[in-house]
């Protein structure tokens, strides 16, 4: 059995190596870059980032060694497996890459945008990233640190933002941590709406987490489980001990309206969530603010209630959210609550939740009996410690 696994692994690595070689040949033809057939070599899309390395460095942002001129793979002429090396890690999305801000060593994200395609993204990003809004505690919109105009291309720009990760990694430990997540999202979308901005795509992947407080070791931006230098697994605290902050990202199809325009009309723009009821029946213009309510409610329904990643200990889980979420995803947009009403109703829900409920362990569906027992023992040890130290059941900053 073991030999078969090794054979399949070897075949997989050979296939990846062939594909990388094909990419490299095409990249050489298109971009004039040196041809390399080394497994894990620079692919077609990454070549653009390589070409920007020196300019970005002069601007104050340093890409990882993989993208530096004259890069030599760390596994070359060694017995290291290329897939286990830090400099073999490729970005998950072509237009997004991590970097280091050289002035202070802060890890950032660079996002390449086409300004003619998303003409309001920079404007709205700057709105939420300047005073007085940037200092508002209810502002959960991703900060925009900088905007870099790409040389020799007036239609392209790089947005510089914090390095974020998916909201569900690492796993939630308690019901109170999930409640804190919901609270930040509700307050954040209400804040966006109060600035007369409709997000128009606030579904799951566009909610991310600044996990800086959580992590003991800086994590690798492409392999989130590993330390940045690939020396081992990245260690972290629970969200109760070191509460993270969540952010709405990607304002590419967002719009801002005049303060006196309480019911703007926009023709449907399909975002990541294709289930919006008002988009199914016709292409008629509709108010994007109730659509935002649907997006957020459906994200909670899909990820935490309907096809939940997890349930909370005992017989019941997050069922206290069902009535509110049900109203948020009603087919008729007019019947959905506003974000003011969502926040008010959520605050009433919180008053009914006991400390015992909030400290209940989050149990993931994929946990087996042994893994469940392990997490249960660890959870109870932490739980007793939190109670003794009077650590809040809902994470507090």
């Amino acid at each position: 059995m073991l030999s078969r696994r090794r054979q399949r692994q070897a075949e997989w690595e050979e296939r990846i190596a062939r594909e990388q070689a094909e990419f490299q040949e095409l990249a050489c033809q298109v971009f004039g870059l040196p041809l390399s057939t080394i497994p894990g070599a620079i692919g077609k899309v990454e070549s653009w980032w390589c070409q920007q390395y020196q300019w970005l460095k002069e601007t104050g942002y340093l890409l990882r060694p993989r993208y530096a001129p004259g890069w030599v793979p760390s596994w070359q002429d060694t017995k290291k497996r290329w897939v286990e090396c830090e400099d073999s890690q490729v970005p998950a999305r072509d237009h997004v890459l991590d970097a280091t801000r050289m002035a202070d060593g802060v890890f950032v994200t660079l996002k390449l945008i086409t300004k003619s395609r998303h003409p309001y993204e920079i404007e709205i990003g700057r709105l939420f990233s300047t005073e007085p809004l940037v200092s508002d505690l209810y502002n959960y919109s991703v900060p925009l640190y900088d905007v870099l105009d790409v040389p020799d291309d007036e239609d392209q720009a790089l947005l510089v933002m914090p390095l974020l990760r998916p909201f569900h990694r690492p796993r939630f430990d308690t019901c109170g941590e999930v409640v804190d997540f919901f609270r930040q999202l509700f307050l954040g979308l209400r804040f966006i709406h109060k600035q007369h901005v409709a997000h128009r795509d606030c579904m799951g992947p566009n909610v991310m987490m600044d996990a800086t407080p959580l992590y003991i070791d800086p994590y690798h931006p492409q392999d989130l489980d590993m330390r940045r230098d690939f020396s081992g697994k990245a260690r972290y605290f629970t969200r109760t001990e070191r509460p993270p902050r969540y952010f709405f990202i990607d304002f590419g199809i967002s719009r801002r309206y005049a303060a006196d325009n309480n019911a703007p009309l926009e023709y449907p723009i399909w975002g990541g969530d294709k289930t919006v009821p008002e988009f199914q029946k016709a292409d008629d213009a509709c108010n994007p603010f109730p659509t935002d309510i649907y997006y957020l409610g459906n994200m909670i329904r899909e990820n935490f209630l309907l096809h939940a990643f997890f349930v909370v200990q005992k017989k019941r889980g997050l069922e206290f959210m069902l009535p509110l979420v049900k109203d948020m995803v009603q087919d008729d947009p007019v019947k959905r609550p506003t974000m003011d009403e969502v926040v008010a109703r959520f605050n009433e829900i919180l008053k009914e939740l006991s400390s015992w409920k909030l400290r209940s362990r989050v149990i993931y569906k994929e946990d087996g009996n042994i893994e469940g027992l392990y997490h249960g023992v660890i959870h109870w040890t932490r739980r007793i410690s939190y109670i003794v130290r009077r650590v809040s059941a809902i994470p507090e900053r």
Side-chain angles (χ1 to χ4, degrees), residues 155-168:
D155 198 30
Q156 288 193 317
L158 284 173
L159 308 186
V160 184
M161 298 170 289
L163 179 65
L164 305 177
R165 58 187 289 141
F167 68 81
H168 61 280

Side-chain angles (χ1 to χ4, degrees), residues 12 144 156 164 182 187 203 214 226 247 262 304 320 349 364 373 397:
W12 177 80
L144 181 59
Q156 288 193 317
L164 305 177
F182 294 159
L187 292 174
M203 46 80 179
L214 276 178
M226 297 295 291
F247 290 105
N262 297 320
F304 294 87
F320 54 83
I349 291 172
Y364 283 69
L373 177 61
R397 280 152 212 85

Side-chain angles (χ1 to χ4, degrees), residues 233-276:
K233 296 289 186 179
R235 298 168 297 168
Y236 54 87
F237 294 95
T238 66
R239 300 166 198 245
T240 302
E241 294 172 291
R242 300 287 182 86
R245 192 171 175 88
Y246 305 96
F247 290 105
F248 289 100
I249 68 165
D250 195 355
F251 290 88
I253 59 175
S254 303
R255 294 291 184 274
R256 191 185 189 198
Y257 305 97
D260 59 353
N261 188 357
N262 297 320
L265 295 177
E266 292 278 6
Y267 290 103
I269 294 183
W270 293 91
D273 185 343
K274 310 300 184 185
T275 64
V276 179

Side-chain angles (χ1 to χ4, degrees), residues 338-355:
T338 65
M339 281 312 302
D340 280 333
E341 293 169 337
V342 169
V343 170
R345 288 180 58 179
F346 183 69
N347 288 338
E348 291 302 312
I349 291 172
L350 290 185
K351 294 178 182 178
E352 302 299 320
L353 300 180
S354 66
S355 176

